[in-house]
Amino acid sequence: MLLVGLTGGIGSGKSTVAAMLVARGAVLIDADQIAREVVTPGGVAYGPVVERFGAGVLAADGTLDRAALADLVFRDPTARKDLEAITHPAVGQVMVERMSAHAETDEIVVLDIPLLAEKGRMGVEQIIVVDCPEEVALERLVTQRGFDEGDARRRVEAQISRSERVALADQVIDNGGPLADLDPQVARVWASLEDRRSTAGAT
């Protein structure tokens, strides 16, 4: 198994890059998807989240109102830290379980982790950072994902800086331009990962 970390700021287009890598044969383990799973009713983090934040973060059907929770935590750094203390260990445990299922294979396993730069390398052999200017990310959040501009700015400002994120990268994909510019970069990155896997397999 070749373990690869994929990260990028909100609005960078990281999910688009992840889909392109999957189309080329990568196995994707998506931290955001797992984060949604662990807070569903019956999930390991659901009870602790409700206990900490109250019934105000629940929808009428008892599921987590993710928008209400996000609005709360991105306005209150202490609340955000409390949420991360509940969810991150749960997400990490699931990721380890899913990685272990591929440990004896020769697959390229991509860990899509938004906070990878904040957490360090986490044992991955290559880190790919999807990068774009903050103003481009903000425009995408508002026009493509329907965020209020103030909310979008709070989310961007809650992250580490672009320079800190890029400094950790083994490879950077520039997604500040049109979609047509993205595929050749992903193709280049994928070819390098295949070469790295082949080299590792030969040793």
Side-chain angles (χ1 to χ4, degrees), residues 37-99:
E37 293 172 15
V38 298
V39 295
T40 56
V44 294
Y46 177 82
V49 168
V50 175
E51 182 178 354
R52 165 60 180 84
F53 296 101
V57 298
L58 295 179
D61 63 358
T63 60
L64 198 66
D65 183 338
R66 292 175 59 83
L69 181 59
D71 185 61
L72 191 159
V73 301
F74 281 103
R75 293 175 185 274
D76 182 346
T78 299
R80 185 159 57 89
K81 286 184 171 60
D82 288 348
L83 179 64
E84 290 172 352
I86 295 168
T87 59
H88 287 185
V91 171
Q93 180 59 40
V94 175
M95 294 192 80
V96 167
E97 291 168 1
R98 295 188 183 175
M99 280 187 285

Side-chain angles (χ1 to χ4, degrees), residues 122-144:
M122 296 178 65
V124 302
E125 298 175 56
Q126 284 273 290
I127 292 178
I128 302 164
V129 171
V130 184
D131 183 54
C132 74
E134 287 186 358
E135 290 304 315
V136 173
L138 286 167
E139 181 182 4
R140 289 172 179 163
L141 292 174
V142 172
T143 62
Q144 298 176 18

Side-chain angles (χ1 to χ4, degrees), residues 106 194-203:
D106 67 350
E194 289 190 309
D195 286 345
R196 191 176 185 89
R197 176 176 60 181
S198 297
T199 302
T203 57

Side-chain angles (χ1 to χ4, degrees), residues 84-179:
E84 290 172 352
I86 295 168
T87 59
H88 287 185
V91 171
Q93 180 59 40
V94 175
M95 294 192 80
V96 167
E97 291 168 1
R98 295 188 183 175
M99 280 187 285
S100 67
H102 302 278
E104 302 303 319
T105 74
D106 67 350
E107 291 169 315
I108 296 174
V109 177
V110 175
L111 306 182
D112 183 340
I113 307 177
L115 296 179
L116 180 61
E118 289 90 331
K119 298 296 183 183
R121 295 193 69 93
M122 296 178 65
V124 302
E125 298 175 56
Q126 284 273 290
I127 292 178
I128 302 164
V129 171
V130 184
D131 183 54
C132 74
E134 287 186 358
E135 290 304 315
V136 173
L138 286 167
E139 181 182 4
R140 289 172 179 163
L141 292 174
V142 172
T143 62
Q144 298 176 18
R145 294 172 59 177
F147 280 80
D148 169 84
E149 184 173 349
D151 185 25
R153 287 193 179 277
R154 281 191 293 273
R155 294 189 184 220
V156 169
E157 289 166 2
Q159 304 176 131
I160 65 169
S161 69
R162 287 177 67 196
S163 60
E164 289 175 290
R165 191 181 296 113
V166 168
L168 190 65
D170 297 299
Q171 303 195 62
V172 177
I173 293 176
D174 178 3
N175 193 27
L179 188 61

